[in-house]
Amino acid sequence: MDEKVEENRRAQSAAYGEPLSETFDRIKLAFGLNQTALASVLGLSAPMLSQLNSAQRVKIGNPAVLNRVYQLNELVEQRAAGQLAAAQLPERLEEIKASQGSMGRTTQVMASQASDAAVVAGVRNLLRAVASGAELRDAAEMLTASHPELAEVLCVYGTGPAHPALEHYAEHKDLF
């Protein structure tokens, strides 16, 4: 592997917690998508997806595309946990394809009006938008002794799968 590609893979890992090729491969495998179909769901051109996948490019510049990647990752976790029936998959992929994520400072849906899954997804997306998985783990480790509850939130919502985050939120949502 050429040195620049390896450097870009490390940069992707720092930004997203793993190289994008691993993320894309997991999504394609879970849903039986080829690269063209994945590009379509993400709203990327096939060549751009190829460049991200091969680490010729490092970052996803479009917030809506990044949001779709996060949503697809959540869907993979839901599928693995048995929370998504195969019959629901085409509709969910279309919903994700049509979604318009952004990196705005405000949220239009308040916790009292949103489903638990939507709130958890919002928190997870926010944490992952500002820090990589490795950065969140490092921050949690630094906070464990002095602020264990905050360290737990960073770990559960920032680095773990969706199901424990949903359980954690259900146990604590009366605080909101």
Side-chain angles (χ1 to χ4, degrees), residues 107-171:
T107 180
Q108 296 175 357
V109 181
M110 302 308 291
S112 62
Q113 299 169 332
S115 71
D116 289 1
V119 172
V120 168
V123 171
R124 289 167 58 87
N125 288 341
L126 173 64
L127 288 172
R128 292 174 180 179
V130 299
S132 70
E135 290 169 327
L136 292 169
R137 280 188 292 278
D138 289 348
E141 200 171 289
M142 288 189 280
L143 291 169
T144 298
S146 59
H147 304 289
E149 295 87 2
L150 185 54
E152 178 184 18
V153 167
L154 288 176
C155 285
V156 170
Y157 292 86
T159 65
H163 186 68
L166 281 166
E167 288 177 353
H168 185 273
Y169 179 74
E171 290 173 19

Side-chain angles (χ1 to χ4, degrees), residues 43-115:
L44 283 174
S45 68
M48 176 61 80
L49 179 63
S50 179
Q51 290 174 356
L52 289 164
N53 193 54
S54 64
Q56 293 172 353
R57 286 185 181 258
V58 175
K59 293 204 175 194
I60 298 170
N62 183 328
V65 172
L66 184 58
N67 182 273
R68 290 182 199 114
V69 171
Y70 289 142
Q71 288 182 68
L72 286 169
N73 269 325
E74 293 293 324
L75 204 60
V76 168
E77 291 174 9
Q78 290 171 7
R79 177 81 185 214
Q83 300 169 338
L84 177 72
Q88 297 173 297
L89 184 59
E91 181 181 342
R92 287 292 296 125
L93 289 175
E94 283 302 315
E95 288 172 2
I96 291 171
K97 183 177 181 177
S99 69
Q100 297 296 314
S102 70
M103 300 292 281
R105 293 178 175 243
T106 61
T107 180
Q108 296 175 357
V109 181
M110 302 308 291
S112 62
Q113 299 169 332
S115 71

